[in-house]
Amino acid sequence: MPIVKVEAPEQANTYDIHIGHGLLKKAAGLLERCRGHRAMIVTDENVAPLYLDAMKAQLEAAGAQASAFVLPAGETTKCMAQLERIYDALIDAHITRQDFVVALGGGVVGDIAGYAACTYLRGVRFIQAPTTLLAQVDSSVGGKVAVNHPRGKNLLGAFYQPELVMIDCDTLKTLDARQVGAGLGEVIKYGCILDRKLFELLNRCGSRVRVMEALAPELDEIIARCCAIKARYVHEDPHDHGVRMQLNFGHTLAHALENTMGYGVLLHGEAVCIGMVAAAGWGEALGVTPAGTGARIERVLRAYGLPTERDERLTRAHLAAVMALDKKAEGDGVRCVLLTKIGACTGTVIRGAQLEVLL
Ligand code: NAD
């Protein structure tokens, strides 16, 4: 079973990401730290019927007192109103600072449960058990936790590392193809910014149908590789002030698209796909990215049936205005990540007026 170590030095926190098959049915050993404590599992209505009993049973086998709170599924759940419901559940369950919040689900559950864990009592202990490909390769690692604001994605958030991440790859068997694709968008992103071999591997495996079968022999390796890349960035830049921003490749436009179209209409990973093709085009126009790079990325995304173009009805001016509110806004511009080639990238600030032209 691959184990990836994450060291977040400023937060004096080192933790392991355990990656394996059937982990949710044999996690009691990993959950030993919960012995004698309460553990509130936060999950959603789709994941609960599939994996909540297993998670509860393992926590109880580890000697914890487990309870659960089930959220509605989907991006609209990542909001203040649902956060308040989680706080109520934590108060009702008498969760103290020695106790645990366990996020069981995709990135939505991980982000909102993590933000609750970070802020409730100024911080209770936190475990991530991600069940989507996107959460396994990205959102469960690195400690970014957040909820959305009606005017911007992830505007309310914090850095709060989990003390354990448990990735059971078998949970991906119940994930629908669209969600798998959204996760693959982030995997392709890792290939674009830092790992050319991963990009080429994904290029070779590309299949519109039976994506999971095509990837199955490589899946553990792909997940571990992505987690290792993320761990490296977190170690070097835990608070996203420098090199970690490279992980935002494609995200500047992606967040604006998600916000403009309404949270949940375009999946986050899908929006990232459109954002990556756009950012490659901006890089080409600015002479930073070699010509033809955008087309290469587009081909790989299309091979997996992923979206590459934004809805033409979204005006440049509107998107530029939403992007100006993004976390990555800097002065009158927006910090963007551009590729210098497949497998390498750099950050640059694109001014508002220039951005509107590029869009
Ligand atoms: P999600 O959490 O909404 O999950 C997608 C859907 O799959 C949901 O309907 C969920 O109920 C269902 N599901 C989850 N696991 C399942 C399983 N094993 N079988 C069947 N159905 C399952 O979406 P997501 O794509 O996992 O995460 C997207 C969120 O992650 C966004 O809010 C994004 O902003 C956030 N994110 C955070 C970070 C970070 O660093 N914190 C990084 C990337 C993305």
Side-chain angles (χ1 to χ4, degrees):
M1 168 165 68
I3 299 176
V4 176
K5 213 169 248 326
V6 186
E7 292 170 357
E10 285 175 41
Q11 293 171 23
N13 191 356
T14 298
Y15 55 97
D16 288 335
I17 306 167
H18 292 260
I19 304 162
H21 292 268
L23 220 56
L24 282 179
K25 292 194 190 117
K26 49 184 182 194
L30 289 177
L31 296 167
E32 183 64 29
R33 70 192 71 215
C34 302
R35 178 175 299 283
H37 298 293
R38 292 191 173 92
M40 165 72 72
I41 305 165
V42 178
T43 187
D44 75 24
E45 63 198 357
N46 294 336
V47 178
L50 298 167
Y51 304 114
L52 180 55
D53 285 350
M55 188 79 233
K56 232 180 187 167
Q58 292 305 308
L59 280 163
E60 280 162 4
Q65 191 184 323
S67 56
F69 185 70
V70 182
L71 293 159
E75 186 67 32
T76 49
T77 282
K78 238 176 76 173
C79 66
M80 289 304 288
Q82 295 296 344
L83 184 65
E84 274 189 31
R85 293 184 65 225
I86 299 177
Y87 292 141
D88 281 339
L90 294 172
I91 295 167
D92 289 344
H94 302 289
I95 298 291
T96 68
R97 293 180 85 176
Q98 291 71 42
D99 296 325
F100 289 82
V101 167
V102 180
L104 174 70
V108 165
V109 165
D111 279 12
I112 191 170
Y115 192 60
C118 167
T119 45
Y120 181 66
L121 304 179
R122 297 204 180 89
V124 299
R125 300 171 75 182
F126 178 41
I127 292 174
Q128 287 265 24
T131 61
T132 63
L133 181 58
L134 183 137
Q136 294 182 352
V137 299
D138 189 359
S139 63
S140 65
V141 179
K144 278 193 190 176
V145 293
V147 292
N148 299 326
H149 185 276
R151 292 175 60 189
K153 174 119 173 130
N154 294 335
L155 287 190
L156 310 161
F159 288 94
Y160 195 65
Q161 304 291 341
E163 55 180 83
L164 168 71
V165 181
M166 299 180 345
I167 297 180
D168 183 344
C169 305
D170 284 351
T171 57
L172 300 181
K173 290 179 186 159
T174 54
L175 200 60
D176 71 38
R178 188 173 171 207
Q179 297 291 348
V180 171
L184 268 175
E186 295 280 6
V187 177
I188 292 166
K189 176 197 77 181
Y190 285 119
C192 288
I193 59 171
L194 200 77
D195 192 338
R196 188 189 186 95
K197 283 193 179 147
L198 178 61
F199 184 87
E200 276 157 11
L201 171 72
L202 292 163
N203 192 18
R204 281 199 303 281
C205 295
S207 163
R208 226 172 238 277
V209 284
R210 301 204 177 124
V211 174
M212 287 307 283
E213 278 173 43
L215 291 176
E218 319 282 352
L219 194 63
D220 298 14
E221 165 67 17
I222 289 173
I223 293 173
R225 218 152 145 168
C226 294
C227 289
I229 295 175
K230 182 112 189 225
R232 203 169 120 188
Y233 279 111
V234 172
H235 176 63
E236 283 179 38
D237 179 18
H239 285 130
D240 213 2
H241 292 311
V243 73
R244 184 171 173 180
M245 282 196 231
Q246 292 180 354
L247 291 168
N248 289 329
F249 175 55
H251 282 58
T252 315
L253 178 60
H255 285 169
L257 290 173
E258 285 181 86
N259 175 270
T260 306
M261 296 179 72
Y263 295 130
V265 174
L266 204 55
L267 299 179
H268 174 71
E270 293 172 337
V272 168
C273 295
I274 297 170
M276 288 192 291
V277 174
W282 304 342
E284 289 182 32
L286 295 170
V288 177
T289 306
T293 306
R296 279 190 72 194
I297 297 173
E298 210 171 333
R299 270 199 300 280
V300 176
L301 293 171
R302 287 225 173 111
Y304 290 101
L306 291 166
T308 57
E309 284 169 16
R310 70 168 197 261
D311 186 330
E312 279 307 318
R313 285 167 300 180
L314 303 173
T315 67
R316 293 167 170 202
H318 177 75
L319 285 173
V322 177
M323 285 162 82
L325 289 178
D326 194 271
K327 289 193 287 356
K328 295 173 288 298
E330 242 181 73
D332 70 339
V334 177
R335 179 156 286 279
C336 292
V337 179
L338 302 178
L339 298 183
T340 48
K341 60 180 180 181
I342 296 286
C345 60
T346 184
T348 189
V349 174
I350 304 183
R351 304 275 154 234
Q354 193 178 21
L355 192 63
E356 215 177 306
V357 174
L358 289 170
L359 275 165

